[in-house]
Amino acid sequence: MTNNLITSIEVEEIIDHLKKNLQFKETCHKILQQRIIQRASEQRNLTVTDHEIQTEADKIRREKRLEKAVDTLAWLNNQLITPDDWESGIRDDLLRHKLSKNLFDQEVKKTFQQNLFNFGQVLLYQIIVPYEKLASEIFYQIEEEEMSFYQAAHLYDVDEKRRLQCGYEGTIYRFKISSELSPMIFAANPGEVIPPFKTEQGYHIIMVEKFIKAQLNEEIYQQIIEKMFDEWLFNELNYLFHNSGEISTHTPAAQQEEQS
């Protein structure tokens, strides 16, 4: 009964669902973006080989622990797609990656150098509490060495994960820190505890452990090139709309009616 319900879904029903849930425009944009990628790739003679698709598929299988072919088929069946559908999606992703690298690989280093300031990192700990009086008392006890920063974080932080990690927040890029906190954090000295500071989250007490010089690693490379490619794709899509008039979104049934 369930399989019959699934296989009986019509294209018009899917389109109607997307429209009612305000997802139709977004879906159309994604389809048009893929057309733009395909056209730009053809102009540059960029292709994806069967070997590249197989390599990526094997990587996905390992990540999802799909050790046997039957496991992969069961997973695809659960996603309501065929192996050909899956391979086609992999091909699209790989082509997008190749095109982005073809267009912007030479620009990444230049962009990184121009924005070096924002790619510095800081390893920090912090405590967030809901009340100013409590924050002041905690800061005083840390300053007077009545308790360590780590003890205070373990006792008082509002976030359970940070409490268990004694305030450890991790290594964070400067551009990911709010404009409220960034000036104080990067003006501090390693090991210094910054006095309580209020944001929407509550009252912060922050300790800087160390600063890490900006470097163009794989993570930053991908962030920069993806941002540049997304901006390019957005502009190409706008150009398509402004120069092609209305985009056809007819369903197959509507097209058949028009042809008849």
Side-chain angles (χ1 to χ4, degrees):
M1 179 66 178
T2 302
N3 287 337
N4 290 337
L5 282 174
I6 293 173
T7 56
S8 67
I9 295 175
E10 300 289 340
V11 173
E12 289 83 357
E13 289 182 86
I14 296 173
I15 293 174
D16 185 53
H17 174 82
L18 292 172
K19 287 181 176 180
K20 288 191 293 188
N21 288 277
L22 304 179
Q23 297 173 338
F24 185 66
K25 180 179 179 182
E26 179 185 357
T27 302
C28 288
H29 281 191
K30 288 181 178 179
I31 293 170
L32 291 172
Q33 286 174 349
Q34 190 55 45
R35 289 184 186 177
I36 291 169
I37 291 170
Q38 185 66 42
R39 182 184 63 189
S41 298
E42 289 172 358
Q43 291 171 346
R44 292 162 176 79
N45 296 316
L46 300 176
T47 59
V48 175
T49 67
D50 291 341
H51 176 71
E52 288 171 324
I53 293 173
Q54 185 63 53
T55 300
E56 184 64 19
D58 290 343
K59 176 185 173 184
I60 295 171
R61 289 191 189 99
R62 287 193 298 271
E63 290 173 350
K64 295 186 175 295
R65 299 182 179 178
L66 302 172
E67 298 177 2
K68 300 177 182 177
V70 65
D71 298 329
T72 302
L73 291 173
W75 173 69
L76 292 173
N77 186 57
N78 187 54
Q79 302 298 317
L80 304 181
I81 62 174
T82 67
D84 287 344
D85 295 329
W86 186 39
E87 289 183 5
S88 181
I90 292 173
R91 184 184 297 274
D92 287 348
D93 287 342
L94 291 175
L95 194 60
R96 177 190 176 99
H97 177 72
K98 279 194 174 185
L99 180 60
S100 66
K101 194 166 185 177
N102 181 274
L103 290 172
F104 300 112
D105 184 62
Q106 299 301 315
E107 298 294 320
V108 171
K109 189 172 182 179
K110 180 181 176 182
T111 301
F112 174 76
Q113 291 296 333
Q114 290 173 341
N115 296 277
L116 202 61
F117 178 79
N118 287 320
F119 290 117
Q121 294 175 281
V122 59
L123 195 163
L124 60 79
Y125 288 74
Q126 78 166 324
I127 304 167
I128 302 178
V129 295
Y131 308 114
E132 182 178 13
K133 185 176 180 180
L134 176 59
S136 298
E137 179 61 27
I138 292 170
F139 179 73
Y140 173 81
Q141 290 186 30
I142 294 171
E143 285 287 282
E144 295 299 315
E145 298 184 354
E146 294 178 9
M147 72 166 65
S148 72
F149 182 97
Y150 310 107
Q151 290 173 321
H154 186 65
L155 288 171
Y156 296 110
D157 199 298
V158 295
D159 182 77
E160 181 180 4
K161 182 179 179 180
R162 268 199 312 271
R163 282 202 307 274
L164 293 174
Q165 296 180 342
C166 296
Y168 179 73
E169 194 69 76
T171 302
I172 306 173
Y173 287 102
R174 184 169 194 146
F175 68 84
K176 291 186 177 181
I177 299 175
S178 71
S179 57
E180 297 174 292
L181 295 174
S182 182
M184 287 185 295
I185 290 173
F186 283 88
N189 296 313
E192 180 180 348
V193 178
I194 300 170
F197 183 84
K198 187 179 185 300
T199 71
E200 292 179 353
Q201 296 175 279
Y203 291 86
H204 301 247
I205 305 170
I206 294 174
M207 182 177 69
V208 173
E209 180 161 308
K210 68 176 179 177
F211 297 105
I212 302 170
K213 186 178 179 181
Q215 53 185 323
L216 185 55
N217 55 29
E218 182 62 24
E219 179 186 4
I220 289 300
Y221 174 89
Q222 288 299 330
Q223 287 184 5
I224 293 173
I225 203 167
E226 285 173 14
K227 184 175 186 295
M228 296 173 79
F229 186 74
D230 286 343
E231 289 173 353
W232 173 83
L233 202 54
F234 176 80
N235 291 332
E236 289 292 306
L237 187 61
N238 278 342
Y239 178 84
L240 183 65
F241 276 116
H242 292 151
N243 291 275
S244 302
E246 293 185 8
I247 304 297
S248 173
T249 57
H250 292 315
T251 65
Q255 289 175 341
Q256 289 175 5
E257 288 178 8
E258 288 186 357
Q259 291 170 359
S260 62

